[in-house]
Amino acid sequence: MTRIDFYILSSPSPDARLQYACRLAHKAWQQNRHVYLHCADEAEASRLDALLWSFRADSFLPHALHADQPNEAVVCGWGDDPTPHHDLLINLSNDTPEFFSRFNRLAEILVEHDPILVPARERFRFYRKRGYPLSTHQIRIAG
C-alpha cells in the first residue's frame, strides 16, 4: 500500500513548494530512488525542470521532462501516465493523481496558502478514508 507523507512548509510562497520538491527529489535520488514529480501542467513542469538545473550550486541532479526522457531516474511530468515510474511520486498538483496507488510512496508538498491547502485537505480525507498510511511533517522554512 502506498505510504503518503504530507510536508507542510511554514511559508505562503508557491516557490518554496518547488524548492522543497527539488530538495526532496535530490535526497531520494541520492538514495537510488526513482522520482516522478507530478505537476499541474506543462508550464509548471518546465519551470520545475529549469529549477532542478540550478537549485543547488554544489551538486547536480540528473533529470528530464517525462515527455522527453521517461526512463530518467528523476522526471517532471503532468497528465495521466507516469510510466515506467512507481517508486516515489511527488505531487505538486492540486488534484489526487489517478495513478498514485501504483507508487511505493507519495509526497504531498504544501505551503500555507489557501488555494493549495484547501484541496490538500480534501486529498488527505480521501487517502485517510481509504486506509492509506499517512504522516504529516511540519517543515520550518528559514526566511
Side-chain angles (χ1 to χ4, degrees):
M1 181 171 267
T2 304
R3 178 179 151 198
I4 303 171
D5 293 282
F6 280 78
Y7 296 90
I8 304 169
L9 310 182
S10 64
S11 170
S13 169
D15 287 340
R17 189 180 190 201
L18 295 181
Q19 286 286 339
Y20 194 79
C22 291
R23 288 179 46 203
L24 193 59
H26 187 264
K27 182 178 178 181
W29 174 77
Q30 287 179 317
Q31 297 170 349
N32 295 317
R33 306 219 37 196
H34 286 83
V35 182
Y36 182 80
L37 294 129
H38 181 64
C39 299
D41 54 33
E42 184 176 2
E44 184 177 60
S46 294
R47 187 169 164 226
L48 184 59
D49 178 59
L51 185 58
L52 282 164
W53 287 111
S54 62
F55 85 101
R56 287 188 65 167
D58 62 339
S59 68
F60 172 70
L61 177 60
H63 70 282
L65 288 173
H66 183 264
D68 296 336
Q69 296 178 21
N71 293 315
E72 188 69 54
V74 177
V75 295
C76 304
W78 66 98
D80 297 328
D81 186 13
T83 301
H85 291 270
H86 64 271
D87 192 9
L88 172 61
L89 168 62
I90 298 175
N91 185 25
L92 296 166
S93 77
N94 284 333
D95 298 317
T96 303
E98 290 183 19
F99 48 79
F100 81 90
S101 64
R102 71 184 254 194
F103 282 80
N104 297 324
R105 293 188 65 187
L106 166 59
E108 293 272 1
I109 301 173
L110 314 173
V111 293
E112 296 174 351
H113 185 58
D114 280 346
I116 293 170
L117 281 179
V118 171
R121 289 182 187 119
E122 287 298 316
R123 290 193 307 279
F124 187 91
R125 285 189 282 274
F126 172 86
Y127 301 136
R128 184 178 58 199
K129 184 177 180 181
R130 284 153 182 80
Y132 286 92
L134 301 170
S135 297
T136 302
H137 312 277
Q138 299 289 333
I139 308 297
R140 189 118 184 96
I141 301 294

